[in-house]
Structures are given as structure tokens and as C-alpha cells.
mmCIF file of all heavy atoms in Angstrom:
data_model
loop_
_atom_site.group_PDB
_atom_site.id
_atom_site.type_symbol
_atom_site.label_atom_id
_atom_site.label_comp_id
_atom_site.label_asym_id
_atom_site.label_seq_id
_atom_site.Cartn_x
_atom_site.Cartn_y
_atom_site.Cartn_z
ATOM 1 N N GLU A 54 73.482 72.674 118.538
ATOM 2 C CA GLU A 54 72.874 72.132 117.266
ATOM 3 C C GLU A 54 73.575 70.829 116.847
ATOM 4 O O GLU A 54 74.814 70.856 116.812
ATOM 5 C CB GLU A 54 72.927 73.319 116.238
ATOM 6 C CG GLU A 54 72.320 72.850 114.922
ATOM 7 C CD GLU A 54 72.354 73.945 113.861
ATOM 8 O OE1 GLU A 54 72.899 74.997 114.181
ATOM 9 O OE2 GLU A 54 71.918 73.666 112.646
ATOM 10 N N PRO A 55 72.793 69.884 116.405
ATOM 11 C CA PRO A 55 73.465 68.769 115.910
ATOM 12 C C PRO A 55 74.326 68.902 114.672
ATOM 13 O O PRO A 55 74.012 69.966 113.832
ATOM 14 C CB PRO A 55 72.359 67.730 115.643
ATOM 15 C CG PRO A 55 71.028 68.624 115.533
ATOM 16 C CD PRO A 55 71.363 69.885 116.351
ATOM 17 N N HIS A 56 75.370 68.158 114.475
ATOM 18 C CA HIS A 56 76.231 68.340 113.348
ATOM 19 C C HIS A 56 76.269 67.101 112.531
ATOM 20 O O HIS A 56 76.054 66.015 113.048
ATOM 21 C CB HIS A 56 77.647 68.827 113.737
ATOM 22 C CG HIS A 56 77.676 70.220 114.138
ATOM 23 N ND1 HIS A 56 77.061 70.782 115.316
ATOM 24 C CD2 HIS A 56 78.378 71.321 113.492
ATOM 25 C CE1 HIS A 56 77.389 72.074 115.318
ATOM 26 N NE2 HIS A 56 78.163 72.296 114.323
ATOM 27 N N VAL A 57 76.802 67.147 111.250
ATOM 28 C CA VAL A 57 77.056 65.974 110.337
ATOM 29 C C VAL A 57 78.419 65.919 110.104
ATOM 30 O O VAL A 57 79.021 67.056 109.671
ATOM 31 C CB VAL A 57 76.042 66.058 109.144
ATOM 32 C CG1 VAL A 57 76.371 64.939 108.217
ATOM 33 C CG2 VAL A 57 74.640 66.016 109.408
ATOM 34 N N ALA A 58 79.058 64.817 110.250
ATOM 35 C CA ALA A 58 80.418 64.678 109.833
ATOM 36 C C ALA A 58 80.525 64.308 108.467
ATOM 37 O O ALA A 58 80.135 63.364 108.008
ATOM 38 C CB ALA A 58 81.096 63.676 110.823
ATOM 39 N N TRP A 59 81.601 65.177 107.801
ATOM 40 C CA TRP A 59 81.811 64.920 106.333
ATOM 41 C C TRP A 59 83.223 64.728 106.235
ATOM 42 O O TRP A 59 83.994 65.245 106.925
ATOM 43 C CB TRP A 59 81.284 66.102 105.624
ATOM 44 C CG TRP A 59 79.930 66.278 105.536
ATOM 45 C CD1 TRP A 59 79.142 67.112 106.370
ATOM 46 C CD2 TRP A 59 78.925 65.844 104.586
ATOM 47 N NE1 TRP A 59 77.780 67.207 105.999
ATOM 48 C CE2 TRP A 59 77.642 66.263 104.817
ATOM 49 C CE3 TRP A 59 78.998 64.826 103.574
ATOM 50 C CZ2 TRP A 59 76.517 65.924 104.202
ATOM 51 C CZ3 TRP A 59 77.889 64.368 102.908
ATOM 52 C CH2 TRP A 59 76.554 64.937 103.226
ATOM 53 N N VAL A 60 83.647 64.059 105.102
ATOM 54 C CA VAL A 60 85.102 64.007 104.730
ATOM 55 C C VAL A 60 85.064 64.454 103.218
ATOM 56 O O VAL A 60 84.444 63.903 102.391
ATOM 57 C CB VAL A 60 85.715 62.577 104.827
ATOM 58 C CG1 VAL A 60 87.066 62.587 104.126
ATOM 59 C CG2 VAL A 60 85.713 62.167 106.198
ATOM 60 N N LEU A 61 85.889 65.590 102.950
ATOM 61 C CA LEU A 61 86.137 65.997 101.716
ATOM 62 C C LEU A 61 87.532 65.706 101.177
ATOM 63 O O LEU A 61 88.458 66.022 101.863
ATOM 64 C CB LEU A 61 85.925 67.575 101.513
ATOM 65 C CG LEU A 61 86.322 68.293 100.363
ATOM 66 C CD1 LEU A 61 85.533 67.933 99.180
ATOM 67 C CD2 LEU A 61 86.219 69.809 100.563
ATOM 68 N N ALA A 62 87.604 64.950 100.143
ATOM 69 C CA ALA A 62 88.922 64.584 99.485
ATOM 70 C C ALA A 62 88.938 65.256 98.126
ATOM 71 O O ALA A 62 87.984 65.018 97.303
ATOM 72 C CB ALA A 62 89.025 63.211 99.453
ATOM 73 N N LEU A 63 90.050 65.898 97.739
ATOM 74 C CA LEU A 63 90.176 66.483 96.499
ATOM 75 C C LEU A 63 91.551 66.539 95.955
ATOM 76 O O LEU A 63 92.477 66.179 96.643
ATOM 77 C CB LEU A 63 89.643 67.933 96.592
ATOM 78 C CG LEU A 63 90.354 68.797 97.615
ATOM 79 C CD1 LEU A 63 91.576 69.560 96.900
ATOM 80 C CD2 LEU A 63 89.546 69.798 98.252
ATOM 81 N N ALA A 64 91.556 66.708 94.570
ATOM 82 C CA ALA A 64 92.796 66.830 93.963
ATOM 83 C C ALA A 64 92.637 67.803 92.720
ATOM 84 O O ALA A 64 91.620 67.902 92.044
ATOM 85 C CB ALA A 64 93.353 65.465 93.377
ATOM 86 N N CYS A 65 93.793 68.551 92.510
ATOM 87 C CA CYS A 65 93.726 69.564 91.460
ATOM 88 C C CYS A 65 95.106 70.042 91.069
ATOM 89 O O CYS A 65 96.071 69.758 91.867
ATOM 90 C CB CYS A 65 92.776 70.818 91.906
ATOM 91 S SG CYS A 65 93.490 71.647 93.358
ATOM 92 N N PRO A 66 95.241 70.868 90.020
ATOM 93 C CA PRO A 66 96.569 71.535 89.690
ATOM 94 C C PRO A 66 96.976 72.386 90.933
ATOM 95 O O PRO A 66 96.105 73.105 91.496
ATOM 96 C CB PRO A 66 96.380 72.329 88.585
ATOM 97 C CG PRO A 66 95.073 71.700 87.930
ATOM 98 C CD PRO A 66 94.341 71.285 89.080
ATOM 99 N N ASP A 67 98.192 72.143 91.412
ATOM 100 C CA ASP A 67 98.667 72.993 92.513
ATOM 101 C C ASP A 67 98.729 74.495 92.234
ATOM 102 O O ASP A 67 99.087 74.898 91.090
ATOM 103 C CB ASP A 67 100.033 72.571 92.832
ATOM 104 C CG ASP A 67 100.438 72.878 94.330
ATOM 105 O OD1 ASP A 67 99.590 73.536 95.046
ATOM 106 O OD2 ASP A 67 101.474 72.365 94.880
ATOM 107 N N ALA A 68 98.241 75.248 93.225
ATOM 108 C CA ALA A 68 98.388 76.678 93.001
ATOM 109 C C ALA A 68 98.087 77.359 94.430
ATOM 110 O O ALA A 68 97.722 76.699 95.353
ATOM 111 C CB ALA A 68 97.144 77.266 92.110
ATOM 112 N N SER A 69 98.574 78.583 94.536
ATOM 113 C CA SER A 69 98.474 79.385 95.746
ATOM 114 C C SER A 69 96.973 79.622 96.176
ATOM 115 O O SER A 69 96.202 80.049 95.067
ATOM 116 C CB SER A 69 99.312 80.626 95.673
ATOM 117 O OG SER A 69 99.173 81.455 96.777
ATOM 118 N N GLY A 70 96.593 79.438 97.345
ATOM 119 C CA GLY A 70 95.244 79.859 97.835
ATOM 120 C C GLY A 70 94.287 78.787 97.916
ATOM 121 O O GLY A 70 93.183 79.002 98.298
ATOM 122 N N ILE A 71 94.655 77.506 97.553
ATOM 123 C CA ILE A 71 93.659 76.426 97.623
ATOM 124 C C ILE A 71 93.127 76.151 99.005
ATOM 125 O O ILE A 71 91.917 76.013 99.247
ATOM 126 C CB ILE A 71 94.159 75.145 97.040
ATOM 127 C CG1 ILE A 71 94.606 75.353 95.485
ATOM 128 C CG2 ILE A 71 93.305 74.008 96.959
ATOM 129 C CD1 ILE A 71 95.315 74.205 94.783
ATOM 130 N N VAL A 72 94.149 76.040 99.909
ATOM 131 C CA VAL A 72 93.866 75.684 101.322
ATOM 132 C C VAL A 72 92.908 76.772 101.871
ATOM 133 O O VAL A 72 91.920 76.526 102.489
ATOM 134 C CB VAL A 72 95.110 75.501 102.071
ATOM 135 C CG1 VAL A 72 94.676 75.398 103.652
ATOM 136 C CG2 VAL A 72 95.940 74.222 101.730
ATOM 137 N N HIS A 73 93.275 78.089 101.591
ATOM 138 C CA HIS A 73 92.373 79.175 102.057
ATOM 139 C C HIS A 73 91.027 79.072 101.534
ATOM 140 O O HIS A 73 90.032 79.285 102.342
ATOM 141 C CB HIS A 73 92.989 80.490 101.728
ATOM 142 C CG HIS A 73 92.375 81.692 102.185
ATOM 143 N ND1 HIS A 73 91.406 82.348 101.409
ATOM 144 C CD2 HIS A 73 92.379 82.374 103.283
ATOM 145 C CE1 HIS A 73 90.850 83.371 102.007
ATOM 146 N NE2 HIS A 73 91.407 83.456 103.228
ATOM 147 N N ALA A 74 90.884 78.756 100.277
ATOM 148 C CA ALA A 74 89.502 78.740 99.593
ATOM 149 C C ALA A 74 88.785 77.617 100.142
ATOM 150 O O ALA A 74 87.552 77.756 100.350
ATOM 151 C CB ALA A 74 89.761 78.509 98.103
ATOM 152 N N VAL A 75 89.323 76.461 100.352
ATOM 153 C CA VAL A 75 88.601 75.259 100.804
ATOM 154 C C VAL A 75 88.165 75.458 102.336
ATOM 155 O O VAL A 75 87.022 75.239 102.765
ATOM 156 C CB VAL A 75 89.457 73.951 100.808
ATOM 157 C CG1 VAL A 75 88.760 72.862 101.549
ATOM 158 C CG2 VAL A 75 89.664 73.560 99.377
ATOM 159 N N THR A 76 89.125 75.983 103.052
ATOM 160 C CA THR A 76 88.651 76.232 104.615
ATOM 161 C C THR A 76 87.577 77.281 104.708
ATOM 162 O O THR A 76 86.811 77.360 105.495
ATOM 163 C CB THR A 76 89.868 76.528 105.463
ATOM 164 O OG1 THR A 76 90.627 77.576 104.831
ATOM 165 C CG2 THR A 76 90.839 75.291 105.552
ATOM 166 N N GLY A 77 87.805 78.290 103.770
ATOM 167 C CA GLY A 77 86.836 79.417 103.774
ATOM 168 C C GLY A 77 85.475 78.975 103.487
ATOM 169 O O GLY A 77 84.540 79.425 104.083
ATOM 170 N N LEU A 78 85.222 78.030 102.397
ATOM 171 C CA LEU A 78 84.044 77.598 102.061
ATOM 172 C C LEU A 78 83.297 76.765 103.243
ATOM 173 O O LEU A 78 82.129 76.895 103.448
ATOM 174 C CB LEU A 78 83.980 76.819 100.647
ATOM 175 C CG LEU A 78 84.325 75.468 100.711
ATOM 176 C CD1 LEU A 78 83.149 74.519 100.890
ATOM 177 C CD2 LEU A 78 84.877 75.099 99.322
ATOM 178 N N LEU A 79 84.163 76.034 103.761
ATOM 179 C CA LEU A 79 83.680 75.202 105.013
ATOM 180 C C LEU A 79 83.227 76.110 106.177
ATOM 181 O O LEU A 79 82.399 75.818 106.863
ATOM 182 C CB LEU A 79 84.726 74.191 105.361
ATOM 183 C CG LEU A 79 85.048 73.172 104.384
ATOM 184 C CD1 LEU A 79 86.164 72.247 104.856
ATOM 185 C CD2 LEU A 79 83.782 72.354 103.956
ATOM 186 N N ASP A 80 84.095 77.130 106.334
ATOM 187 C CA ASP A 80 83.678 78.057 107.378
ATOM 188 C C ASP A 80 82.310 78.737 107.090
ATOM 189 O O ASP A 80 81.519 79.009 107.965
ATOM 190 C CB ASP A 80 84.842 79.173 107.523
ATOM 191 C CG ASP A 80 84.419 80.047 108.748
ATOM 192 O OD1 ASP A 80 84.391 79.744 109.884
ATOM 193 O OD2 ASP A 80 84.270 81.250 108.406
ATOM 194 N N ASP A 81 82.154 79.159 105.715
ATOM 195 C CA ASP A 81 80.886 79.771 105.292
ATOM 196 C C ASP A 81 79.591 78.859 105.668
ATOM 197 O O ASP A 81 78.537 79.327 105.929
ATOM 198 C CB ASP A 81 80.989 80.092 103.916
ATOM 199 C CG ASP A 81 81.948 81.285 103.738
ATOM 200 O OD1 ASP A 81 82.278 82.071 104.672
ATOM 201 O OD2 ASP A 81 82.297 81.470 102.403
ATOM 202 N N LEU A 82 79.898 77.548 105.633
ATOM 203 C CA LEU A 82 78.819 76.509 105.838
ATOM 204 C C LEU A 82 78.572 76.296 107.299
ATOM 205 O O LEU A 82 77.829 75.568 107.803
ATOM 206 C CB LEU A 82 79.148 75.262 105.058
ATOM 207 C CG LEU A 82 79.142 75.291 103.507
ATOM 208 C CD1 LEU A 82 79.656 74.025 103.193
ATOM 209 C CD2 LEU A 82 77.713 75.488 103.093
ATOM 210 N N GLY A 83 79.414 77.133 108.220
ATOM 211 C CA GLY A 83 79.360 76.773 109.689
ATOM 212 C C GLY A 83 80.080 75.629 110.105
ATOM 213 O O GLY A 83 79.906 75.102 111.209
ATOM 214 N N GLY A 84 80.985 75.224 109.255
ATOM 215 C CA GLY A 84 81.744 73.895 109.561
ATOM 216 C C GLY A 84 82.834 74.062 110.647
ATOM 217 O O GLY A 84 83.397 75.356 110.750
ATOM 218 N N ASN A 85 83.161 73.001 111.325
ATOM 219 C CA ASN A 85 84.244 73.032 112.269
ATOM 220 C C ASN A 85 85.219 71.972 111.842
ATOM 221 O O ASN A 85 84.856 70.682 111.846
ATOM 222 C CB ASN A 85 83.766 72.617 113.659
ATOM 223 C CG ASN A 85 84.928 72.582 114.725
ATOM 224 O OD1 ASN A 85 85.767 73.523 114.675
ATOM 225 N ND2 ASN A 85 84.889 71.614 115.497
ATOM 226 N N ILE A 86 86.364 72.289 111.404
ATOM 227 C CA ILE A 86 87.363 71.319 110.802
ATOM 228 C C ILE A 86 88.095 70.536 111.962
ATOM 229 O O ILE A 86 88.608 71.260 112.827
ATOM 230 C CB ILE A 86 88.361 72.184 110.007
ATOM 231 C CG1 ILE A 86 87.726 72.679 108.699
ATOM 232 C CG2 ILE A 86 89.516 71.073 109.532
ATOM 233 C CD1 ILE A 86 88.591 73.482 107.891
ATOM 234 N N ASN A 87 87.994 69.229 111.858
ATOM 235 C CA ASN A 87 88.507 68.384 112.888
ATOM 236 C C ASN A 87 89.990 67.882 112.513
ATOM 237 O O ASN A 87 90.886 67.708 113.324
ATOM 238 C CB ASN A 87 87.778 67.181 113.192
ATOM 239 C CG ASN A 87 86.366 67.576 113.669
ATOM 240 O OD1 ASN A 87 86.298 68.409 114.566
ATOM 241 N ND2 ASN A 87 85.276 67.059 113.066
ATOM 242 N N ASP A 88 90.238 67.823 111.150
ATOM 243 C CA ASP A 88 91.423 67.220 110.591
ATOM 244 C C ASP A 88 91.635 67.745 109.192
ATOM 245 O O ASP A 88 90.670 67.724 108.466
ATOM 246 C CB ASP A 88 91.462 65.753 110.677
ATOM 247 C CG ASP A 88 92.803 65.069 110.206
ATOM 248 O OD1 ASP A 88 93.918 65.505 110.926
ATOM 249 O OD2 ASP A 88 92.787 64.461 109.196
#
């Protein structure tokens, strides 16, 4: 299936679990993280 390349850049107050939340939502979208 063809894919579309996106770049997500973000900033927020630091807290535990942010990386897990971001990678989880991208996984739910069927995304494949390249970097």
C-alpha cells in the first residue's frame, strides 16, 4: 500500500509517557517511524 511521509514536531511540558503516547498514536494510524 502506498504511504505518505509526514514529519511531526512538537513541544510541551516535560512529563513521563509522552514518547509512548506519540509513538502509540502513530502506530494506531498504521504508521512506520523512520526517525
Side-chain angles (χ1 to χ4, degrees):
E54 181 178 358
H56 284 66
V57 175
W59 296 94
V60 173
L61 171 62
L63 61 91
C65 63
D67 203 353
S69 177
I71 299 173
V72 174
H73 180 267
V75 172
T76 56
L78 83 86
L79 296 176
D80 182 65
D81 291 341
L82 292 169
N85 178 47
I86 294 175
N87 298 313
D88 181 64

